[in-house]
Amino acid sequence: MFLSSFKTNGEILADPWGLPEALHLDNWARAWTGAHIGRYFLNSLVVVAGSVSLTMLMGATAAYVFARYEFRGRQFVYYLFVGGLMFPVFLALVPLFFVVRNAGLFNTWLGLILVYAAYSLPFTVFFLTAFFRTLPTSVAEAAMVDGCGHFRLFFRVMLPMARPGLISVAIFNFLSHWNQFLLPQVLMQGDESKWMLAQGLFALSVSQGYAGDYARLFAGLSIAVLPVLAIYVAFQRQVQTGLTAGQLK
């Protein structure tokens, strides 16, 4: 895919697995501007940043309460969250469409952010609840003795200690939201200026199938993949630490 993004269309068809004779960077420029991949890229960046931030804030707060506090109905509410993992998004598309439309959030970024966050909460709560349970209670007790309140304890003490788990879940949520196609296709219709990157790539793949400009298509796909690779390379150590922390404990 990356090699083909620097080739001409003739080179792609004649020698798909060969190296490009020259680096045709104009393919990337045509994909970014001509196919509006740049606009879709920025749209997805805004929506994913908002949805991941909202998911992590609500998910970490709920998970901390489930892991650290005893109250009536705690297990029931927790299993309600976890039960969301069993229901695929396909089952709720029709009612979800009408709920978002009746709320006045159809074809808006805010509606998409809320839907992304709602569907990511079950996994986030499930993962972080187990992670918060592995953190030492002695640190929390010492902070409470020193006069730390519940909110300050959570934001100043427990969240920094849970950083590996938070980064791991945040990356998984980022990948899920960034690659999401079905929800934007249903909830973001009509106005192409608000499309997500997956929608833009789909439209580009359909149009290039007839035009034969495969070089621009491969350049657009490469642009979509680069943020995912960059984030994982930057945080791969934290991801591995977060996934194994509970097991090692």
Side-chain angles (χ1 to χ4, degrees):
M1 180 182 65
F2 280 107
L3 289 177
S4 298
S5 68
F6 296 107
K7 294 181 180 180
T8 64
N9 292 311
E11 290 176 336
I12 294 175
L13 297 176
D15 189 8
W17 301 103
L19 296 175
E21 296 180 0
L23 297 180
H24 297 275
L25 298 178
D26 60 303
N27 296 335
W28 289 62
R30 289 188 295 113
W32 185 264
T33 58
H36 309 296
I37 295 299
R39 177 196 302 167
Y40 303 144
F41 184 94
L42 295 177
N43 293 347
S44 294
L45 198 62
V46 171
V47 171
V48 171
S51 62
V52 171
S53 300
L54 184 61
T55 301
M56 296 307 299
L57 177 61
M58 296 190 301
T61 306
Y64 175 72
V65 171
F66 290 138
R68 294 289 179 171
Y69 292 91
E70 295 285 346
F71 57 91
R72 183 176 298 178
R74 183 189 65 168
Q75 288 296 106
F76 176 74
V77 178
Y78 172 73
Y79 285 125
L80 283 180
F81 274 98
V82 176
L85 293 171
M86 299 186 296
F87 296 95
V89 65
F90 302 97
L91 293 179
L93 277 182
V94 174
L96 180 63
F97 172 84
F98 287 105
V99 168
V100 173
R101 190 186 66 175
N102 294 337
L105 299 175
F106 184 72
N107 203 27
T108 64
W109 289 348
L110 178 59
L112 207 56
I113 289 174
L114 294 177
V115 172
Y116 279 6
Y119 274 101
S120 301
L121 272 178
F123 170 76
T124 303
V125 171
F126 174 74
F127 187 98
L128 290 181
T129 298
F131 193 89
F132 276 118
R133 287 172 179 167
T134 65
L135 300 180
T137 57
S138 57
V139 177
E141 292 172 352
M144 295 292 288
V145 170
D146 290 340
C148 191
H150 292 285
F151 287 95
R152 190 178 179 185
L153 171 65
F154 174 67
F155 286 104
R156 299 291 298 274
V157 178
M158 304 307 295
L159 277 187
M161 292 176 61
R163 181 183 176 185
L166 294 173
I167 292 178
S168 300
V169 178
I171 291 178
F172 285 132
N173 287 330
F174 173 85
L175 295 177
S176 175
H177 298 178
W178 186 263
N179 296 324
Q180 181 61 245
F181 171 72
L182 184 62
L183 290 175
Q185 191 72 0
V186 173
L187 302 178
M188 297 290 293
Q189 302 178 10
D191 191 356
E192 295 184 6
S193 64
K194 296 182 179 180
W195 278 6
M196 298 296 102
L197 184 57
Q199 292 175 278
L201 289 175
F202 176 72
L204 179 61
S205 66
V206 173
S207 62
Q208 300 317 303
Y210 295 101
D213 193 356
Y214 298 105
R216 184 166 68 165
L217 174 60
F218 283 119
L221 293 172
S222 301
I223 292 173
V225 169
L226 283 178
V228 177
L229 293 178
I231 287 180
Y232 183 76
V233 169
F235 296 104
Q236 60 176 332
R237 183 172 300 177
Q238 287 87 344
V239 172
Q240 295 170 359
T241 303
L243 291 177
T244 58
Q247 180 181 356
L248 294 177
K249 183 69 176 180

